[in-house]
Amino acid sequence: MSGHSKWSSIKHKKGAADAKRGQLFSKLSRAIIVAAKEGGPDPGGNLALQNAIEKARSYSMPKDNIERAIAKGAGADAEAASFETVVYEGYGPEGVAVLVEALTDNRNRTASEVRHAFTKHGGNLGTTGAVAWQFERRGVILVGADGTDEDDLVLLAADAGADDVSLDGSTFVVTSPPESMSSVRIALEGAGVAIDSVALAMVPKTTVAVSDESTARRIVKLVEGLEDTEDVQEVYANFDIPEAVLEAVAS
């Protein structure tokens, strides 16, 4: 996770204060609508919905917005019926593996926009199966290391169902099986732990080390370009960029 988890934290902080909050909330709502449509409106019995709500909460999306999105999905809203999940796979500079998750009502439009973003930023769109095998679905909770006792965090997280806590620069990365993510978050918050972000993520099994600032900037621009695409929900990549370099290129 090294490097990539720090980028997730930087991205989350930027997103929480970004001028594009309207676009962000639209994407979060779309994910909730589709999850409620496919698995029902009860988060207790719908893991995808539970995770979509967790993510929306981590970006301080208003409760009313979340409830409206659930109602739309549960009510067979036309908006919910028209969307489908599509995954794109490709490579960035230095052979970094990139996985893109989108919700779209027009596959041709989305494929064209994703391909354009890859090409514009020095990457290549690959075929299905090209890089997906390099990632696994995990619950990921990021906690600022400053003021956090590692031993206490490990015990709390383990008791709640997490299976790993690691220090990545100035951030603790708490990972868990997807079905345990919510219980881990609740336990940490109940103990007063300040959480930076909560997300169900595709975590890379191996990483590509990138220390050159110019190359790192190109990779970050590719990820940002893909994230700015309207239909794209999530972008995952297996880069390992030192924290200081990431801070520099993300500023």
Side-chain angles (χ1 to χ4, degrees):
M1 282 293 289
S2 181
H4 188 268
S5 57
K6 180 59 183 177
W7 167 247
S8 297
S9 181
I10 292 172
K11 180 181 70 174
H12 189 273
K13 289 173 183 175
K14 287 174 65 179
D18 205 318
K20 300 176 185 174
R21 280 176 76 82
Q23 181 189 31
L24 172 62
F25 283 177
S26 176
K27 289 188 177 188
L28 294 169
S29 292
R30 186 184 295 185
I32 293 171
I33 289 168
V34 173
K37 174 214 166 205
E38 293 179 348
D42 178 14
N46 183 344
L47 183 60
L49 177 59
Q50 184 182 113
N51 291 325
I53 293 171
E54 290 280 3
K55 182 179 177 183
R57 289 178 68 256
S58 76
Y59 280 103
S60 301
M61 186 170 171
K63 183 180 179 181
D64 286 350
N65 294 43
I66 293 173
E67 291 178 348
R68 279 197 301 271
I70 294 173
K72 277 189 174 184
D77 183 85
E79 183 179 353
S82 63
F83 286 102
E84 62 178 320
T85 301
V86 185
V87 177
Y88 301 95
E89 304 175 42
Y91 296 94
E94 297 297 308
V96 167
V98 182
L99 197 63
V100 181
E101 294 180 347
L103 285 174
T104 180
D105 58 354
N106 186 323
R107 277 176 172 258
N108 291 335
R109 179 194 66 229
T110 307
S112 175
E113 292 175 350
V114 168
R115 183 178 294 106
H116 173 73
F118 268 105
T119 302
K120 180 179 179 181
H121 299 288
N124 295 287
L125 183 62
T127 57
T128 300
V131 303
W133 58 274
Q134 299 184 54
F135 298 82
E136 60 182 345
R137 183 75 68 181
R138 307 289 289 156
V140 179
I141 299 175
L142 303 183
V143 175
D146 188 27
T148 301
D149 183 274
E150 183 172 5
D151 291 338
D152 289 345
L153 180 63
V154 169
L155 287 173
L156 272 170
D159 286 345
D163 50 24
D164 188 57
V165 176
S166 61
L167 180 62
D168 184 1
S170 61
T171 302
F172 282 114
V173 183
V174 182
T175 55
S176 70
E179 61 274 12
S180 300
M181 186 180 74
S182 182
S183 62
V184 174
R185 174 192 63 78
I186 291 170
L188 296 186
E189 287 183 340
V193 176
I195 293 174
D196 286 347
S197 71
V198 181
L200 188 65
M202 294 298 286
V203 176
K205 298 176 184 177
T206 59
T207 56
V208 176
V210 178
S211 57
D212 175 68
E213 187 171 316
S214 175
T215 303
R217 191 178 302 278
R218 290 167 57 210
I219 292 170
V220 168
K221 289 295 183 185
L222 168 60
V223 173
E224 290 181 329
L226 288 164
E227 289 175 339
D228 284 343
T229 301
E230 181 180 0
D231 297 330
V232 169
Q233 287 283 312
E234 292 289 351
V235 180
Y236 306 106
N238 70 340
F239 57 76
D240 179 1
I241 300 174
E243 183 173 336
V245 176
L246 264 182
E247 293 280 7
V249 302
S251 60

